[in-house]
Each structure stands twice: as structure tokens, then as C-alpha cells.
Amino acid sequence: MPRSPKTTVTVRMYNVGFGDSFLVTVTRGKITWRMLVDCGVFPAGQTRPISQSAQMIVEDLAALAPAGSPPHLDVVVATHHHVDHISGFADPAWTRVQVDDVWVPYVEDRDDPDGKILRGELTVAAHNLRGLIATARMRLSAADDGARAKLAVAEVFAVNSEGADPATDRLLGRNDTTFLNKPVPRYVPDRDPAENVIPTTVPGVTAHILGPSRDPNDVKRMKPPKSVAWLKAAADERPADADTRPLFDGVFAVPLSRADPYIPASLRETLASLDLESVSNAEELLAAAAILENSVNNTSVYFVLDVRGTRLVFVGDSQYGAWEHVLNDPEALKLVTDPAFYKIGHHGSHNATPQRYAKEVLGHDHYAMMPFGAVPQWPSIPEGKLLTALEAAGTHVIRADTAEPGPQITVDPQRRWSEVSFTVA
Ligand SMILES: [Zn+2]
């Protein structure tokens, strides 16, 4: 009887800093399948400039390609349009890479009615917020360092939420920017559930697309319920404000009547309480920016790679609304229960891994990778309680910044990446 070939799956986390870039390789006999999940970094927390990281990844792919063949990826996934996930795709090095399939959230699809509305809301809100922040900064007295620092953080959020256009061009194949073979992007999830189970070139290996939800109400549910939050977010601490003053009155050039349909309800409520004459405005703008940041995170592609029964869970930066969409669906819940591997959401922040997931669903003795580099403005990431809960469950957490070699774990001698490997029967 011929021996059936062994299957291995390896996840390599590039040490980009505060950002994601994961190379997943599945090998069975002579077949090799490769997927890259994200390529971006948040500049204030970078290990090296993202162009260097992108070129390093392309060089690695070139070294793996058979002689005379271009660097190749079966799939590129861009989970969501934050710069810390996609900015690296702006680098021209990608022009020489053949990519068979590109997965982006349906929010980026200019021809999708749901996507268009959502994308419009997020983009307009980000632009408007930057305008508000600029105005607030001009009104600050020179001595108000505290408020100035808060505005700087708010601006960072707002810029992040505006997306990275040259990178998006490459992913969508626009403006003469694309990969070697000009792939047409696949917007996920599809409206047809059957299309959301995507086969690979390896027999028995499939990807299940579980998010983002196509229900706009899900995506707009940005604030975590207090009972399951790791911490109370700053945005939750404000009393509900019934103030009905026009949103941008006297502050921003867009009249409320025109801006209103594009602004998510929770952002509108936050901004309605703005009082730009008072010093507290920096706090308010920061809260609004944080809500917008969460909203974009909830557009993340959330998927499970099933390697002949060994499951790997990739959640992008999905936060509460997005997680509940998965955890409340019995079939999806089964797929994310007791996986071999979990890509920790949103760099280990308090609101991106539900307590229920860490304590009850994830199971014991698994591997989790945390793409992380310190950002001075965000000392509360990663969240200590999350790491404690994962540790209590016996999860092997591999941090990009402090990875150590161990069973199944390899760390590049120059610390450019760390890897975890699984052998599948
Ligand atoms: Zn991120």
C-alpha cells in the first residue's frame, strides 16, 4: 500500500513591528501552497521601514521559487484597509510577484452596494475627523501639552482609517498598479455561502470565510458590551449626550445635511457632544477617532484555514461586533473552537479577543501569534489580562518582538521572523 504523504503547515510571522504580515505555507508531497496575510506596519511602532519588510518578503519568495520562475503566492489576503495591514503593498517589489488570488473585504468593492455605503461612511468620517482635529489644534493654547498629545493620537487613528491608497491600488489592480499577472480581486465574503468555502491546490485543505459580516448593523456595532469588555474603553465612559447641535456647524465645511447619511450613528452621537471651545475637546476627538478605528477593524476578513482537520484562525483586527457574528453562528463557532493556531487580533488590544473566546472556546495548549512592536502612544497594548488568560489556558503565545525558539517554533537568527509548524496526519 503506498504511504500517504505527510502534510505540514507553517506560519511565519514577519517581525515588522506594530503591524501584520504572515506567510502561511502548506506542503503535501510535491505540492506547496503559499498565502500571505497582510503586509503593513504602523510607522510609530515599526521594526524597520515597511518598504524594507516588503522587499525582504519578496526576496524570500524569490529564493523559494524554482529557477527561472517568478516569486509566487497562491493567495494574498488584505484583511482591512488600515496602514498597519496593507501599507507594504505600495512597494514596487510586488510588481514581480505572481499572485493567483487576492482576497479583500467586500467593503473595498466599488460595485457592491453594501460595500459602497460602508466604505463611503468610513472614508468620509475619517476625512471629516481629520478636519476637526486640525481645527481643534489651531485653537489650542501653546501651553496645553496634554490636549496636544491627545490630538496627536486622535490624528494617528484618523490617518490610519483613511487607508493607504497606493497599496489599495495594487490589491484592487487599479491605476496601473498590480501584481505580475494582474489578478482580479475576490471580494469576501460572497453573498452565496457556497462560495465562502474556498479550496486550495492541496487536497483536503480549504479556507472558510467567516467575516466581515455583510449586515451593516453588525459592522456599526462598534462598542463592546461592558460585561465582556476587558476594560472600559474611553469612549464608553461618557454619558449619553442628547445634544442635537449640528455636527459640523461652524467647524467643518460639509453641511450636516450632506454629511449626515455617511456618518455611522455612534460616531454621530460622539461628535454631537463636541464642544470645540472647551479644553476637553481633545478627549472627545480622541474618543471619536477610536470609535472609527474600531469600525474599520470590524471590516476585517476573518477566516479559518482547515488543513485536513488542523485549523488555523485568522481574525485580522476584528473587534466585538465582528466576533459576535462568528461566535453566534453554530457552524462558524465549531470552526473556531479548539484550533491549533490563533492569530491574536489587533496586536493584543483589550477589545479584540473576547474573554469568552480566550477562556472557553480557544481550548488548551495551542499556539497563538501576536504581531506586536511597542507604540509609545499606546502603552495599554498588549492587554495584560488577555495574555494572562491565554497563559492560564496553556496557550503558547509567540510575540513578534520577543519570540524564542522552542518545540515547533523557529526564530530567524536575525529576528526578522518567527515560525510555528504543525505536522498533520
Ligand atoms: Zn492592526
Side-chain angles (χ1 to χ4, degrees):
M1 212 171 94
R3 220 157 41 94
S4 67
K6 146 183 112 157
T7 304
T8 58
V9 52
T10 300
V11 183
R12 172 181 291 189
M13 171 170 59
Y14 281 98
N15 181 18
V16 293
F18 193 101
D20 279 27
S21 196
F22 290 86
L23 180 65
V24 184
T25 306
V26 181
T27 308
R28 181 173 169 80
K30 290 197 173 82
I31 308 170
T32 299
W33 177 89
R34 282 194 184 88
M35 162 191 262
L36 186 79
V37 186
D38 290 335
C39 180
V41 79
F42 187 68
Q46 68 186 18
T47 310
R48 58 182 67 76
I50 192 59
S51 58
Q52 274 180 32
S53 292
Q55 287 160 24
M56 177 173 83
I57 294 166
V58 172
E59 282 309 317
D60 284 355
L61 294 173
L64 291 163
S69 301
H72 172 243
L73 285 165
D74 291 85
V75 179
V76 162
V77 187
T79 60
H80 62 296
H81 71 242
H82 275 153
V83 295
D84 61 319
H85 293 258
I86 65 167
S87 58
F89 292 112
D91 194 274
W94 292 106
T95 310
R96 55 190 278 242
V97 181
Q98 185 185 325
V99 178
D100 297 346
D101 210 0
V102 177
W103 303 354
V104 289
Y106 71 89
V107 179
E108 307 300 334
D109 185 355
R110 272 54 177 172
D111 298 326
D112 183 300
D114 296 345
K116 226 159 74 183
I117 291 169
L118 198 47
R119 170 85 194 168
E121 282 180 358
L122 296 170
T123 306
V124 172
H127 287 327
N128 288 351
L129 201 52
R130 284 194 74 187
L132 288 168
I133 292 164
T135 308
R137 184 179 282 132
M138 282 186 318
R139 295 182 184 186
L140 278 183
S141 73
D144 201 345
D145 287 342
R148 201 168 292 279
K150 288 196 179 87
L151 285 178
V153 176
E155 185 167 47
V156 156
F157 277 134
V159 170
N160 199 24
S161 292
E162 277 188 322
D165 285 341
T168 304
D169 283 348
R170 168 128 22 236
L171 295 160
L172 304 187
R174 292 184 316 201
N175 298 325
D176 295 325
T177 308
T178 179
F179 297 99
L180 181 64
N181 53 314
K182 303 186 171 73
V184 175
R186 181 197 292 253
Y187 296 103
V188 297
D190 198 279
R191 282 202 173 77
D192 175 2
E195 295 292 319
N196 295 322
V197 182
I198 304 176
T200 70
T201 54
V202 185
V205 180
T206 50
H208 299 257
I209 309 287
L210 305 182
S213 169
R214 293 193 77 100
D215 180 348
N217 289 326
D218 273 344
V219 181
K220 283 181 193 167
R221 282 174 50 213
M222 293 166 274
K223 289 194 231 171
K226 288 184 176 57
S227 59
V228 291
W230 293 101
L231 286 173
K232 264 170 46 154
D236 291 332
E237 284 164 10
R238 247 171 339 199
D241 195 328
D243 194 340
T244 53
R245 272 176 308 132
L247 180 52
F248 297 119
D249 189 24
V251 176
F252 198 74
V254 179
L256 181 63
S257 55
R258 262 181 53 212
D260 198 53
Y262 299 104
I263 307 293
S266 53
L267 182 62
R268 199 160 55 224
E269 280 160 24
T270 303
L271 294 184
S273 67
L274 285 178
D275 176 3
L276 286 173
E277 300 302 331
S278 84
V279 233
S280 70
N281 64 41
E283 198 80 46
E284 306 274 342
L285 283 170
L286 180 54
I291 290 171
L292 178 62
E293 170 93 358
N294 294 354
S295 181
V296 175
N297 283 338
N298 280 348
T299 67
S300 289
V301 176
Y302 186 135
F303 70 96
V304 173
L305 185 66
D306 186 344
V307 182
R308 306 177 71 86
T310 293
R311 280 167 293 114
L312 297 87
V313 178
F314 287 87
V315 302
D317 280 350
S318 298
Q319 300 192 1
Y320 278 86
W323 270 95
E324 287 194 356
H325 168 71
V326 172
L327 298 180
N328 291 338
D329 172 341
E331 287 303 311
L333 176 63
K334 239 186 267 171
L335 285 165
V336 301
T337 299
D338 211 15
F341 173 88
Y342 166 50
K343 197 295 287 187
I344 296 178
H346 200 227
H347 324 281
S349 81
H350 72 279
N351 50 3
T353 302
Q355 294 205 40
R356 181 182 157 209
Y357 190 67
K359 292 181 174 169
E360 295 166 28
V361 180
L362 185 59
H364 297 276
D365 207 28
H366 303 311
Y367 286 86
M369 276 180 154
M370 189 169 85
F372 178 75
V375 177
Q377 296 103 310
W378 299 334
S380 61
I381 300 179
E383 166 56 41
K385 284 183 203 158
L386 168 64
L387 295 178
T388 307
L390 290 171
E391 212 171 284
T395 303
H396 305 266
V397 176
I398 305 163
R399 284 173 63 139
D401 55 339
T402 58
E404 293 292 340
Q408 297 175 244
I409 302 169
T410 312
V411 179
D412 173 54
Q414 294 168 50
R415 309 198 64 84
R416 296 170 309 171
W417 47 259
S418 45
E419 254 179 22
V420 61
S421 292
F422 306 91
T423 302
V424 180

